Amino acid sequence: MKSINFIGIFILSFLLLRCAPLLPATTIKNSPIETFKYIYISPTKILTSSTGGIYGGAYGVYGSTQSKSVNPTDVISGILTKKGFIRLSEQKEELNDKTLIVNYGESGKRNRGLGYTIEVTIQFVSAKSNELISSCTAEGQGETEADDIKQAITRCITALYP
């Protein structure tokens, strides 16, 4: 009977840890970004991640993999363009008054049940004064690291500018 209780408690704690919510996104707002019209996003590299599995059957071993890619710059650009910003391919001195420089970085990982979350931080900096206008930090968890990053970026910007 004690072993059944122990197994039940173990399974329940595992499920609670696995289903624990993502940490809330945190934001800093020093100035309104509505005064800006243009964005320049610091370039990032493409991240490719894969998941897969194999299994054996009566007629052999089978397997499959799934590969996903994400470029954080593209995700950030898509969200901010949808919010009405115009993306610049390069910084232009004559537009610095109305341009935000957007910086992206992965800022941590946290174990969560069978997997982990990836945390990202995004900064919005004035191109004219180099002052921090706002920033946000959020985490995401999906099937792959690419999913984690997409979810974290979306949660971050949505928390900052719903």
Side-chain angles (χ1 to χ4, degrees):
M1 187 66 170
K2 284 186 179 185
S3 63
I4 292 175
N5 287 341
F6 177 74
I7 292 171
I9 291 171
F10 177 76
I11 291 171
L12 182 62
S13 3
F14 174 76
L15 289 173
L16 288 175
L17 284 173
R18 177 67 180 134
C19 298
L22 294 172
L23 294 176
T26 58
T27 61
I28 296 172
K29 293 182 182 180
N30 293 329
S31 299
I33 87 166
E34 290 78 19
T35 58
F36 296 90
K37 183 176 181 179
Y38 304 99
I39 54 171
Y40 171 76
I41 305 173
S42 302
T44 59
K45 294 182 180 179
I46 294 175
L47 168 79
T48 301
S49 55
S50 301
T51 59
I54 59 170
Y55 61 93
Y59 300 105
V61 177
Y62 305 94
S64 67
T65 61
Q66 178 183 16
S67 184
K68 293 183 181 179
S69 298
V70 65
N71 186 334
T73 297
D74 292 341
V75 177
I76 294 168
S77 175
I79 294 170
L80 293 177
T81 301
K82 190 174 181 178
K83 292 188 178 291
F85 289 96
I86 299 168
R87 181 178 175 193
L88 302 175
S89 57
E90 61 185 42
Q91 283 186 273
K92 297 185 179 182
E93 183 112 11
E94 64 274 11
L95 299 176
N96 276 352
D97 289 353
K98 295 186 179 226
T99 301
L100 281 173
I101 299 170
V102 182
N103 298 316
Y104 161 88
E106 291 180 26
S107 50
K109 282 187 178 183
R110 181 174 67 96
N111 287 328
R112 185 172 169 247
L114 289 176
Y116 57 88
T117 64
I118 294 180
E119 179 185 80
V120 303
T121 299
I122 301 172
Q123 291 182 325
F124 297 84
V125 179
S126 166
K128 181 180 180 183
S129 65
N130 289 321
E131 291 180 22
L132 180 67
I133 301 302
S134 59
S135 71
C136 57
T137 300
E139 61 182 13
Q141 183 177 22
E143 292 180 13
T144 64
E145 286 189 355
D147 294 334
D148 298 352
I149 290 169
K150 285 179 189 174
Q151 184 183 39
I153 290 170
T154 303
R155 290 183 70 233
C156 188
I157 296 175
T158 301
L160 196 55
Y161 303 105

